[in-house]
């Protein structure tokens, strides 16, 4: 980005970039899927999914009128969002429901920006959301994780040419779509191996009376449906 004034920066951020070639869209999708499927890269990249997951909890908690206490991100890629308010009711249900659905929603929002040619805008909106998330973090690892992710996105958006930004933006969007599904399988595996009343699915069980396994199924179906929609939008709708 070569802008030197605020007006020029604003113009660059919200300018429309040309669509990349189809082969690049496909290639970034394959790479993103590989990151999700291969254990080593997934173990590192899953931190981004945790940020989106806890961010979903936090955003809906605020929108539902709950008092947000803070967010913690852990080195095992788990996280926790603490809010105060009524312990039941629709606000609490929606707050818990938002976690496992947030990554796919983020991916879908990314597609809306990409199909509109707003590649740089996608990167800068991500930076702003990470900055807002940083204000809620209450532990050192969480700060490092959010700041590190934001720094990478900033360096890409400020110092790399449009072609590199395009590759990174499509990689991120594909990754959020595909990465929304694997944690749902991990959730069910954990519930079988080490049952816990604190998982999102089991909390929803207590709040609604609907079995936790049914909520896991809902998370899976919802995210797979968004993935299917995302693939169609990126590959065929244009």
């Amino acid at each position: 980005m070569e802008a030197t004034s605020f007006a020029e920066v604003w113009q660059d951020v919200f300018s429309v970039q040309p669509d990349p070639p189809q082969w690049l869209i496909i290639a970034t999708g394959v790479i993103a899927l590989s990151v999700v499927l291969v254990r080593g890269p997934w173990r590192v990249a899953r931190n981004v999914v945790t940020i989106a997951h806890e961010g979903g909890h936090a955003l809906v908690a605020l929108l539902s009128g709950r008092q947000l206490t803070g967010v913690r991100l852990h080195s095992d890629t788990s996280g926790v969002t603490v809010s105060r308010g009524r312990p039941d009711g629709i606000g609490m249900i929606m707050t818990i429901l938002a976690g496992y659905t947030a990554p796919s929603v983020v991916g879908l929002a990314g597609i809306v920006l990409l199909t509109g040619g707003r590649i740089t805008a996608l990167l800068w909106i991500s930076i702003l959301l990470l900055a807002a998330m940083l204000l809620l973090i209450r532990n050192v690892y969480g700060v490092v994780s959010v700041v590190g992710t934001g720094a990478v996105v900033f360096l890409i958006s400020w110092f790399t040419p449009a072609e590199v930004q395009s590759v990174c933006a499509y990689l991120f969007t594909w990754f959020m779509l595909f990465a929304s599904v694997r944690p749902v399988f991990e959730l069910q595996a954990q519930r079988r191996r080490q049952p816990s009343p604190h998982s999102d699915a089991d909390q929803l069980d207590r709040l609604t009376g609907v079995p936790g396994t049914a909520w896991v199924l809902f998370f899976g179906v919802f995210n797979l449906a968004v993935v299917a929609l995302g693939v169609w939008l990126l590959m065929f709708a244009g």
Side-chain angles (χ1 to χ4, degrees):
M1 184 178 292
E2 299 178 355
T4 57
S5 69
F6 178 79
E8 291 174 330
V9 170
W10 185 265
Q11 182 177 358
D12 286 345
V13 167
F14 288 96
S15 62
V16 176
Q17 288 86 30
D19 293 333
Q22 189 75 358
W23 68 264
L24 187 145
I25 297 176
I26 296 172
T28 52
V30 171
I31 294 171
L33 182 60
S34 300
V35 171
V36 173
L37 295 178
V38 179
R39 183 173 182 178
W42 170 248
R43 179 65 179 77
V44 176
R46 199 188 190 287
N47 286 282
V48 179
V49 181
T50 303
I51 293 173
H53 180 111
E54 300 304 329
H57 284 317
L59 176 60
V60 176
L62 290 173
L63 292 176
S64 62
R66 299 182 62 82
Q67 181 181 357
L68 193 61
T69 303
V71 177
R72 291 178 177 269
L73 306 175
H74 303 136
S75 58
D76 63 355
T77 71
S78 66
V80 61
T81 299
V82 180
S83 62
R84 295 176 181 175
R86 182 177 172 181
D88 55 14
I90 187 64
M92 188 63 181
I93 292 172
M94 296 304 295
T95 295
I96 298 174
L97 193 63
Y100 279 97
T101 57
S104 62
V105 173
V106 170
L108 191 59
I111 290 174
V112 172
L113 291 169
L114 291 180
T115 53
R118 309 291 182 175
I119 294 172
T120 304
L122 170 60
L123 297 175
W124 275 78
I125 290 172
S126 300
I127 294 171
L128 293 176
L129 292 174
L130 288 167
M133 184 76 170
L134 183 61
L135 299 176
L136 306 173
I137 299 296
R138 296 295 182 266
N139 67 323
V140 174
Y141 182 83
V143 171
V144 172
S145 182
V146 172
V147 170
T149 303
V152 170
V153 178
F154 173 77
L155 291 173
I156 291 170
S157 65
W158 193 264
F159 293 106
T160 65
E163 295 78 8
V164 175
Q165 292 183 27
S166 179
V167 169
C168 293
Y170 274 89
L171 270 174
F172 169 77
T173 301
W174 278 120
F175 173 75
M176 295 308 295
L177 284 177
F178 294 139
S180 68
V181 178
R182 180 165 177 171
V184 178
F185 287 96
E186 294 175 344
L187 169 64
Q188 184 61 15
Q190 183 180 17
R191 293 180 71 245
R192 289 177 178 176
R193 182 176 61 253
Q194 189 178 4
S196 169
H198 303 298
S199 75
D200 288 5
D202 291 291
Q203 290 185 67
L204 287 168
D205 184 346
R206 292 195 304 274
L207 288 167
T208 66
V210 178
T213 302
W215 286 109
V216 175
L217 180 62
F218 170 80
F219 292 146
V221 170
F222 178 89
N223 290 335
L224 285 171
V226 175
V227 169
L229 175 61
V231 170
W232 179 77
L233 289 172
L234 285 174
M235 299 297 297
F236 306 109

